[in-house]
Amino acid sequence: SEAADHLPKERPSGKSTPSFRILVVEDNEDAAETLALALGMGGHEVKTALRGREGLKLAAGFRPEAAIVDIGLPDISGYEVGRQLRAQFPDILLIAHTGWDQPEDRKRSEEAGFDHHIVKPVNIQKMIGLMKRRPA
């Protein structure tokens, strides 16, 4: 099945490799930690940043395959973070994570290059589910 193509491959030792390198850019420390912990337990390698610029700096060396970005960041907007990540990593899975849910907000996240627009509070199961379906 198509979904099986994106599951972690088994190593001879029986341990599965991390499925994704995921960057979480979220200024709420508790939310960032909760996401990182849950995704880490799912076998993903996760790095977190509390500011947009910090996230972009981290991404340069980490080369994330997915990013969960809060739109309302204190330094630069999550839309700008998303635009820059998309430009650097064209195949990245980008998820906007925000309290803003107006049609205009969804349109802006789409225009910035986000694949998904998830409204807070964080839905861990939904995030984990999205990590299984990578854009082609």
Side-chain angles (χ1 to χ4, degrees):
S1 82
E2 201 172 303
D5 297 344
H6 300 305
L7 294 174
K9 303 284 182 263
E10 291 292 311
R11 282 198 187 139
S13 69
K15 282 196 178 122
S16 62
T17 59
S19 325
F20 288 103
R21 287 185 309 278
I22 304 170
L23 177 64
V24 174
V25 185
E26 165 64 68
D27 66 331
N28 178 318
E29 217 167 325
D30 290 339
E33 275 179 35
T34 301
L35 265 171
L37 197 64
L39 292 166
M41 286 169 58
H44 302 288
E45 185 183 347
V46 185
K47 289 202 187 294
T48 60
L50 301 175
R51 301 267 184 277
R53 287 190 184 92
E54 178 193 349
L56 290 169
K57 224 175 275 176
L58 201 57
F62 183 50
R63 305 191 60 75
E65 297 163 293
I68 299 167
V69 182
D70 181 15
I71 296 300
L73 294 168
D75 55 350
I76 59 175
S77 86
Y79 297 121
E80 185 53 33
V81 173
R83 265 191 288 279
Q84 290 192 36
L85 287 172
R86 175 66 68 208
Q88 260 187 290
F89 311 103
D91 295 333
I92 194 169
L93 173 65
L94 274 181
I95 301 166
H97 187 231
T98 178
W100 305 333
D101 193 25
Q102 296 304 309
E104 179 60 22
D105 302 317
R106 290 180 175 273
K107 186 173 181 275
R108 284 187 71 192
S109 66
E110 193 179 313
E111 286 170 353
F114 285 91
D115 298 296
H116 301 283
H117 184 104
I118 306 295
V119 180
K120 294 179 179 182
V122 65
N123 179 329
I124 298 293
Q125 290 315 114
K126 191 168 191 174
M127 289 292 185
I128 289 170
L130 291 175
M131 292 305 145
K132 293 180 185 146
R133 292 191 303 277
R134 226 168 142 184

